[in-house]
Amino acid sequence: FLHYFIDRCQEGFLVRNPAVLQLRVSFLFVKNVFEQEGFSRQKRGYRNINDIEVNMSDPLFTKQWYLINTGQADGTPGLDLNVAEAWQLGYTGKGVTIAIMDDGIDYLHPDLASNYNADASYDFSSNDPFPFPRYTDDWFNSHGTRCAGEVSAAANNNICGVGVAYNSKVAGIRMLDQPFMTDIIEASSISHMPQVIDIYSASWGPTDDGKTVDGPRELTLQAMADGVNKGRGGKGSIYVWASGDGGSYDDCNCDGYASSMWTISINSAINDGRTALYDESCSSTLASTFSNGRKRNPEAGVATTDLYGNCTLRHSGTSAAAPEAAGVFALALEANPNLTWRDMQHLSVLTSKRNQLHDEVHQWRRNGVGLEFNHLFGYGVLDAGGMVKMAKEWKTVPERFHCVAGSVQEPHKIQSGNKLVLAIDTEACQGKDNFVRYLEHVQAVVTVNASRRGDLNINMTSPMGTKSILLSRRPRDDDSKVGFDKWPFMTTHTWGEDPRGTWVLEVGFQGEEPQRGVLKEWTLMLHGTQSAPYIDQIVRDYQSKLAMSKKEELEEELDEAVERSLKSLLSKNN
Ligand SMILES: *[C@@H]1O[C@H](CO)[C@@H](O)[C@H](O)[C@H]1NC(C)=O
Ligand SMILES: *[C@@H]1O[C@H](CO)[C@@H](O)[C@H](O)[C@H]1NC(C)=O
Ligand SMILES: *[C@@H]1O[C@H](CO)[C@@H](O)[C@H](O)[C@H]1NC(C)=O
Ligand SMILES: *[C@@H]1O[C@H](CO)[C@@H](O)[C@H](O)[C@H]1NC(C)=O
Ligand SMILES: *[C@@H]1O[C@H](CO)[C@@H](O)[C@H](O)[C@H]1NC(C)=O
Ligand SMILES: [Ca+2]
Ligand SMILES: [Ca+2]
């Protein structure tokens, strides 16, 4: 029992603070914790591994635990993308094109060449149609090639592994390999051939140094808006975004690409369901896929194609997670090409699973309509089988409306030890054309300055009682001048809720030194539908998602008990 905790503490966020680890462990000793004797940790899958009949000749296929996790590399069996089910139903990505916006693709690679879509590819770093990676001694520009293999590596050809959507086409958009990024390069990449490219995968963004607040500029914003409104014949380009590699020091809501409503932001879990050390958390993340294992097992990385015809077992980062999601979305698009960019988000919310994902810091919670979410993993790990089944029967969701629910414009002081609490009462534009009754995204547009921006934290609670952490402490951010200027903090956690009622914003400081600040604006923007989005859908999977197993309840209670104990102990010691 104790070992279980030590294990989790050591590998988790507490590792940086051995004192806390000791406290946590010794407390468990002293108190002889509850009656948890019989608590077992059996491996459970949503699917019997032995029932999977997928046999590929590719040498790395059995190392690709993120496709089919049978417990390879110390992983947890059943914790995978459930692609086997989608493949068995016949979906492999046929007719779908995914663009990898990155440092190029080795399109001569024997495992990629047959699925390479040269016509849809372009090199914006050097303005030519050949996005081949630039050679460096250390193979620095291998990122795009590795991402491409995760999506579209060919199957059953005795080479490397197998892509999530192994019959899809992959396009290379080389745009990361020039001295400076420009708005034009980003905008051109994002809007490249939007009637041919269905899905764009991006594993880049503002610097993950924990002190940057940045996002798309004017042209790129316009390109994204055009993409979702006009791409794919009006059904909308699908933008998949890595949530970022800044770890617990960063907050992906400070990254305007990941936190955009128009992108599907993807975080990562490791092969036993825990968070990766580089994972950033934020309320805009929609779902998760997988990156490398934390254990030093050399086979726990993401197996995929590598530069110059090679293969690798070592791809990693949330960079590795986003292309897996792009692959899953390709399977869904093959199952139903009519899916809009919003349908894809609804499907992700409904079919992603908690599975055995475990976040040491944030509890899994349920929102006002019972959807289970986590601050780091979003709605859980994508489930390709669940997604294609639901996609097949899916009816396009009703029209989307936008309502400015209210705004606080007069300045309010914030001080350490005295947090600011504001409220907006709203009818969500009821009685007007743009009434929003069922939420999709919610944005809190905030202007605030502070003597230390990194110590600010902002929470928002919906009328149905769901608290979103809009901004967590970023210990490295010591900005005292800029603050946030009309910054749109986004949350996906109130998905499906009724927005009418009182929204509460709490702004405070965390940190060692006393700080001051002024909040100058909070504008609440609601986005969603007037009519019920799921009334026409097959709700099987949705209901199963709501049915929490007894074991998970136990696990949650246990987590909360430990959390409480730790807190009370620490407060006594202070
Ligand atoms: C997979 O196929 C190979 C070659 O066709 C065969 O030797 C092997 O036994 C098969 N494995 C399984 C698990 O069916
Ligand atoms: C990669 O491929 C090159 C050329 O085929 C080969 O010489 C080299 O040994 C390979 N490197 C690795 C690490 O496999
Ligand atoms: C896609 O839309 C077309 C036209 O509305 C319709 O005929 C077709 O059945 C739809 N396909 C699916 C898979 O829903
Ligand atoms: C924040 O803005 C207020 C009002 O504009 C100003 O008085 C104050 O000095 C600013 N504080 C910081 C830390 O920039
Ligand atoms: C926001 O929520 C977090 C997590 O529950 C909490 O630690 C923090 O104190 C809250 N901040 C404010 C300003 O309420
Ligand atoms: Ca292959
Ligand atoms: Ca970041």
Side-chain angles (χ1 to χ4, degrees):
F1 183 64
L2 194 58
H3 274 135
Y4 160 66
F5 280 104
I6 293 174
D7 217 39
R8 284 185 14 181
C9 294
Q10 275 177 342
E11 304 260 334
F13 71 114
L14 296 176
V15 76
R16 285 183 297 278
N17 192 341
V20 174
L21 170 65
Q22 265 177 14
L23 281 179
R24 195 161 177 164
V25 171
S26 63
F27 178 72
L28 290 169
F29 258 130
V30 174
K31 282 283 183 186
N32 200 13
V33 197
F34 328 113
E35 308 101 88
Q36 307 278 350
E37 229 67 56
F39 197 90
S40 74
R41 306 236 118 237
Q42 273 163 0
K43 293 168 176 175
R44 59 180 189 269
Y46 284 80
R47 195 166 29 79
N48 186 346
I49 307 278
N50 301 318
D51 291 347
I52 300 170
E53 288 171 29
V54 180
N55 193 1
M56 304 275 191
S57 67
D58 313 71
L60 293 193
F61 178 61
T62 54
K63 315 274 190 214
Q64 290 180 286
W65 53 265
Y66 57 99
L67 299 180
I68 300 176
N69 194 336
T70 56
Q72 311 95 308
D74 307 315
T76 302
L79 184 64
D80 57 38
L81 298 171
N82 191 20
V83 291
E85 188 177 5
W87 293 347
Q88 280 169 343
L89 291 167
Y91 302 111
T92 56
K94 282 184 296 296
V96 181
T97 293
I98 301 118
I100 306 292
M101 302 191 286
D102 212 292
D103 56 14
I105 292 183
D106 174 5
Y107 47 79
L108 302 174
H109 196 294
D111 212 14
L112 295 174
S114 60
N115 283 337
Y116 181 63
N117 185 340
D119 295 339
S121 297
Y122 198 79
D123 187 337
F124 289 100
S125 292
S126 55
N127 271 315
D128 61 60
F130 309 108
F132 200 81
R134 179 175 56 91
Y135 178 83
T136 66
D137 282 344
D138 59 358
W139 290 21
F140 177 68
N141 293 315
S142 60
H143 199 248
T145 302
R146 293 173 170 199
C147 292
E150 292 181 85
V151 181
S152 298
N156 257 323
N157 62 352
N158 295 301
I159 304 167
C160 296
V162 172
V164 170
Y166 55 78
N167 282 321
S168 64
K169 294 289 177 212
V170 65
I173 295 183
R174 182 168 174 261
M175 44 81 70
L176 284 184
D177 193 18
Q178 66 281 335
F180 295 101
M181 183 55 81
T182 66
D183 194 16
I184 288 186
I185 291 180
E186 285 185 358
S188 309
S189 303
I190 273 169
S191 57
H192 186 60
M193 301 188 80
Q195 307 311 329
V196 178
I197 294 169
D198 302 294
I199 301 168
Y200 298 76
S201 178
S203 300
W204 46 269
T207 318
D208 284 327
D209 55 8
K211 53 187 177 186
T212 301
V213 178
D214 201 0
R217 307 292 159 88
E218 201 182 331
L219 296 174
T220 305
L221 272 179
Q222 190 57 51
M224 279 188 178
D226 287 348
V228 296
N229 289 320
K230 302 177 196 156
R232 286 197 312 122
K235 287 169 294 196
S237 307
I238 314 286
Y239 296 115
V240 185
W241 227 271
S243 55
D245 284 346
S248 58
Y249 291 106
D250 209 351
D251 184 303
C252 35
N253 240 346
C254 296
D255 169 343
Y257 300 82
S259 67
S260 166
M261 306 187 285
W262 299 321
T263 62
I264 302 183
S265 166
I266 298 292
N267 213 332
S268 70
I270 65 173
N271 66 341
D272 63 5
R274 285 175 299 166
T275 61
L277 290 174
Y278 42 76
D279 280 347
E280 294 180 30
S281 56
C282 66
S283 56
S284 53
T285 299
L286 200 65
S288 298
T289 57
F290 297 99
S291 57
N292 58 305
R294 195 182 290 161
K295 298 231 168 66
R296 283 180 204 265
N297 188 326
E299 303 209 332
V302 168
T304 179
T305 49
D306 207 352
L307 283 179
Y308 316 124
N310 296 56
C311 316
T312 181
L313 288 172
R314 309 190 68 96
H315 190 33
S316 74
T318 57
S319 293
E324 290 168 26
V328 173
F329 297 153
L331 301 176
L333 273 188
E334 183 189 359
N336 186 349
N338 291 352
L339 298 177
T340 66
W341 69 277
R342 286 168 52 228
D343 291 331
M344 201 63 90
Q345 299 206 17
H346 279 276
L347 284 167
S348 300
V349 169
L350 294 186
T351 64
S352 294
K353 303 275 190 310
R354 173 176 177 174
N355 198 321
Q356 289 155 89
L357 299 185
H358 186 87
D359 173 2
E360 297 271 353
V361 184
H362 306 99
Q363 301 302 307
W364 285 85
R365 290 181 283 144
R366 281 172 189 278
N367 76 7
V369 293
L371 291 166
E372 193 175 26
F373 70 93
N374 171 274
H375 181 61
L376 187 140
F377 292 122
Y379 285 92
V381 61
L382 290 178
D383 180 323
M387 199 148 177
V388 296
K389 280 189 289 182
M390 207 183 253
K392 237 173 75 143
E393 313 287 341
W394 190 259
K395 306 283 181 293
T396 304
V397 288
E399 192 184 346
R400 176 168 155 104
F401 294 93
H402 312 277
C403 167
V404 180
S407 188
V408 173
Q409 300 277 356
E410 54 294 349
H412 291 269
K413 286 204 178 94
I414 320 152
Q415 269 177 351
S416 289
N418 186 14
K419 75 177 172 190
L420 172 66
V421 182
L422 297 171
I424 287 178
D425 289 313
T426 182
E427 284 297 310
C429 301
Q430 188 166 13
K432 300 198 193 120
D433 289 346
N434 59 330
F435 173 39
V436 174
R437 166 64 183 81
Y438 299 91
L439 283 175
E440 291 174 359
H441 312 90
V442 174
Q443 291 173 306
V445 181
V446 170
T447 299
V448 62
N449 70 5
S451 46
R452 191 170 196 284
R453 184 173 64 187
D455 288 356
L456 269 176
N457 65 100
I458 307 178
N459 298 331
M460 184 168 71
T461 304
S462 71
M464 294 185 90
T466 305
K467 181 166 93 173
S468 300
I469 302 172
L470 298 182
L471 175 68
S472 314
R473 177 166 188 248
R474 296 199 307 163
R476 291 175 181 164
D477 178 6
D478 54 12
D479 164 83
S480 61
K481 296 198 172 67
V482 186
F484 292 93
D485 185 15
K486 288 190 178 292
W487 188 258
F489 293 96
M490 196 269 274
T491 179
T492 58
H493 297 166
T494 50
W495 202 273
E497 289 191 358
D498 181 348
R500 291 170 295 178
T502 304
W503 290 77
V504 175
L505 192 80
E506 295 166 283
V507 189
F509 287 108
Q510 285 171 338
E512 289 82 41
E513 305 290 324
Q515 308 293 349
R516 285 168 298 101
V518 178
L519 182 125
K520 296 167 190 173
E521 177 183 355
W522 166 38
T523 299
L524 182 63
M525 314 266 287
L526 310 173
H527 309 268
T529 62
Q530 252 158 52
S531 39
Y534 306 136
I535 208 111
D536 298 329
Q537 319 294 349
I538 307 275
V539 292
R540 237 183 359 243
D541 290 18
Y542 174 59
Q543 279 160 348
S544 76
K545 183 169 179 136
L546 293 182
M548 195 187 201
S549 84
K550 187 72 190 149
K551 192 169 272 180
E552 283 169 342
E553 263 170 272
L554 273 174
E555 194 173 322
E556 188 125 342
E557 274 170 30
L558 187 64
D559 285 338
E560 278 165 9
V562 171
E563 207 70 39
R564 271 198 310 274
S565 317
L566 183 64
K567 266 191 201 138
S568 70
L569 192 68
L570 286 178
S571 64
K572 269 177 216 149
N573 272 22
N574 278 348

